[in-house]
Amino acid sequence: MESEYVTTPFGRRPMSLAMLLKQRRGEAIEAGTTRNKWKLFRSVCEARAGLDVTDRALTVLDALLTFFPDDELSSEKALVVFPSNAQLSLRARGMAAATLRRHLAVLVEAGLISRKDSPNGKRYVRRGREGGIDEAYGFSLAPLLARAVEIETMAARIAADRQMLRGMKERVTICRRDIAKLISAAVWEAVPGDWERMSSIYQAILQRIPRAATIENLAPIIEDLETIRQGIVNLLELHEKMQMTSANESQIGRHIQNSHPESISESEPGLETGEGLSGDCGPRKEPEREPVETPGNGRDGSSFSIRTSVGKLKSFPLSMVLQACPDIADYGPGGSIGSWRDLITAAVIVRSMLGVSPSTYEEAASVMGPENAATVMACILQRGGCIHSAGAYLRDLTRRARRGEFALSPMLMALSRAKSLLTSGAGT
């Protein structure tokens, strides 16, 4: 049992009221309190952040516990250990004497041990005639046992918080994966929606995730991510329902049309007049020749020049663009393109689908103009597997357009000729 008198520091170390309070608190051990010293040490390690001790200080505490002969710390036993600095250094993995003293001070300041200094500052024990300990001077482990309940509670709370934080990080990871793949699926399937804005909001939320995540700062981020995910799921489900309804109506329409199998309108698409070009849609994967700097002639006899001025491309009628690049219409609002605005909207979706960065597309739009940049994206989509990297290809065309070395007309005419050849070949 620890003596209850106050011990003051040896040497030049001053006494303070805080030291007195810690010493008294460390002696306030309830009768019958016992703890396994190694289980209690593990709790101290778990609660290290809350106790404000370092891992090196815990190494010193581990060494001090090895000098206590029993595994059980009890309020009925003397809890003072009195190792020499040399022996304590050896059990502290060879820690230097100055480092040892610094971490012993940390343990005392944290209220895990207390000093019980002898008259001359040495650590030793005085034994009685029967060999029992009458008085011991060194480091008392009584504060550690006195705070056992507090330490164990703190360790349990920290462990629970760590487990909760791990679960929250897993939820963030799952939400990030779900949102990214759902947006990609929506763009790939040409589901109507402002997916560019949705992606921007998603990226903005990701920027809020701190490097040192905590329960407090992750909770609102998870809520925002789950809200976005649910909104995307709702849009996709609504689109699926509309598709099912449209499919049912289409089946009814085909059943009515089949009563007139001789009708030509069922097997041939209608022609759209405009700039003397057909609105027919055909296969897309015929490789085209590289754009050349030669003028081309439209079917109506009008001439298309390579460029009107350096870095300035000539625009072409929307009907001609759709004639040469029919696949872009699938990505327009409602699956069709009726204006330049619809084409630009579809080009943004195709840009994201083909992996072209926003900065690359914005630079192309700045150099070529929004309509021409959208036309180039339609051509890239139409060429399909012929282009290995859409972003690199668009950057090259932008550089050429800035130098005045690129024209849209050869590209559009090449696609139109390839489509006409495929259509005529299929007819024969």
Side-chain angles (χ1 to χ4, degrees):
M1 187 76 179
E2 295 297 317
S3 59
E4 297 183 357
Y5 63 83
V6 175
T7 58
T8 57
F10 172 79
R12 297 181 179 180
R13 297 195 305 272
M15 184 65 180
S16 66
L17 181 59
M19 293 175 61
L20 175 61
L21 294 176
K22 286 181 180 179
Q23 192 175 131
R24 284 304 189 189
R25 192 181 303 120
E27 294 173 353
I29 304 176
E30 294 184 6
T33 301
T34 60
R35 289 292 187 281
N36 181 282
K37 64 180 182 181
W38 300 122
K39 291 182 179 179
L40 184 56
F41 177 71
R42 282 195 292 272
S43 296
V44 173
C45 293
E46 186 73 56
R48 179 172 68 88
L51 295 172
D52 197 23
V53 292
T54 64
D55 53 347
R56 300 295 299 280
L58 293 180
T59 300
V60 176
L61 180 59
D62 182 21
L64 286 174
L65 288 174
T66 63
F67 288 100
F68 190 78
D70 300 329
D71 285 340
E72 294 290 329
L73 299 177
S74 173
S75 60
E76 306 300 326
K77 298 178 183 179
L79 297 176
V80 176
V81 292
F82 38 89
S84 65
N85 283 341
Q87 291 298 318
L88 185 57
S89 176
L90 287 176
R91 297 198 188 184
R93 281 72 172 172
M95 189 177 292
T99 307
L100 192 65
R101 287 192 296 270
R102 186 168 66 252
H103 291 303
L104 284 170
V106 170
L107 292 174
V108 172
E109 183 65 24
L112 297 178
I113 63 172
S114 62
R115 297 178 186 271
K116 188 175 181 181
D117 290 342
S118 66
N120 60 2
K122 302 294 184 180
R123 301 176 203 136
Y124 61 86
V125 62
R126 182 179 293 114
R127 298 182 183 276
R129 293 182 178 180
E130 299 179 354
I133 296 177
D134 284 347
E135 196 66 55
Y137 297 100
F139 297 103
S140 174
L141 300 175
L144 183 62
L145 183 60
R147 299 181 63 186
V149 175
E150 175 193 351
I151 291 171
E152 290 165 349
T153 302
M154 187 183 302
R157 185 180 67 251
I158 291 176
D161 289 347
R162 184 174 61 250
Q163 185 175 2
M164 180 180 297
L165 182 60
R166 185 185 301 115
M168 294 177 73
K169 288 181 177 179
E170 291 173 353
R171 289 172 61 188
V172 169
T173 300
I174 292 173
C175 281
R176 292 180 63 176
R177 182 185 66 199
D178 291 347
I179 292 173
K181 293 196 173 184
L182 286 172
I183 290 178
S184 297
V187 172
W188 180 259
E189 299 292 340
V191 178
D194 194 352
W195 302 114
E196 191 73 17
R197 176 176 172 274
M198 192 79 72
S199 180
S200 300
I201 295 175
Y202 166 62
Q203 294 297 331
I205 294 175
L206 294 186
Q207 295 298 322
R208 290 163 44 199
I209 300 178
R211 290 186 177 181
T214 63
I215 295 176
E216 290 74 18
N217 55 34
L218 275 189
I221 294 175
I222 291 176
E223 183 178 356
D224 292 343
L225 287 174
E226 291 181 342
T227 300
I228 289 182
R229 179 177 62 182
Q230 189 58 46
I232 295 174
V233 170
N234 291 341
L235 286 175
L236 294 179
E237 289 179 347
L238 178 61
H239 175 72
E240 183 65 22
K241 292 178 181 178
M242 294 175 63
Q243 289 289 99
M244 293 175 62
T245 303
S246 177
N248 292 336
E249 294 175 353
S250 176
Q251 290 176 0
I252 295 173
R254 284 198 299 271
H255 177 72
I256 296 174
Q257 290 175 354
N258 286 338
S259 61
H260 302 282
E262 69 277 7
S263 175
I264 300 177
S265 62
E266 295 180 15
S267 57
E268 294 293 335
L271 297 179
E272 169 184 301
T273 58
E275 298 294 326
L277 294 173
S278 170
D280 188 18
C281 299
R284 58 176 261 189
K285 294 196 175 178
E286 176 69 19
E288 69 162 355
R289 297 176 298 173
E290 288 296 322
V292 294
E293 299 185 10
T294 56
N297 295 321
R299 290 174 57 183
D300 57 354
S302 59
S303 175
F304 302 99
S305 61
I306 294 179
R307 59 182 181 271
T308 57
S309 61
V310 176
K312 180 70 174 179
L313 295 179
K314 180 179 179 180
S315 298
F316 293 88
L318 179 62
S319 57
M320 180 179 180
V321 176
L322 297 179
Q323 164 72 15
C325 311
D327 290 354
I328 192 69
D330 295 337
Y331 300 90
S336 63
I337 292 178
S339 63
W340 282 108
R341 183 175 182 179
D342 293 345
L343 180 65
I344 293 173
T345 301
V348 171
I349 296 175
V350 171
R351 187 274 305 165
S352 177
M353 182 187 71
L354 296 181
V356 178
S357 66
S359 59
T360 299
Y361 184 73
E362 288 172 4
E363 183 181 6
S366 175
V367 173
M368 303 178 185
E371 294 84 0
N372 291 328
T375 301
V376 170
M377 287 307 305
C379 293
I380 293 175
L381 174 68
Q382 194 66 34
R383 295 188 66 180
C386 300
I387 299 174
H388 298 293
S389 175
Y393 187 68
L394 181 60
R395 284 193 295 271
D396 180 65
L397 295 183
T398 303
R399 286 192 294 268
R400 293 170 58 186
R402 184 179 286 111
R403 297 193 302 264
E405 299 174 354
F406 170 66
L408 279 173
S409 57
M411 181 180 289
L412 290 173
M413 296 304 296
L415 288 173
S416 296
R417 285 195 298 270
K419 176 177 172 295
S420 300
L421 289 175
L422 288 178
T423 303
S424 61
T428 56

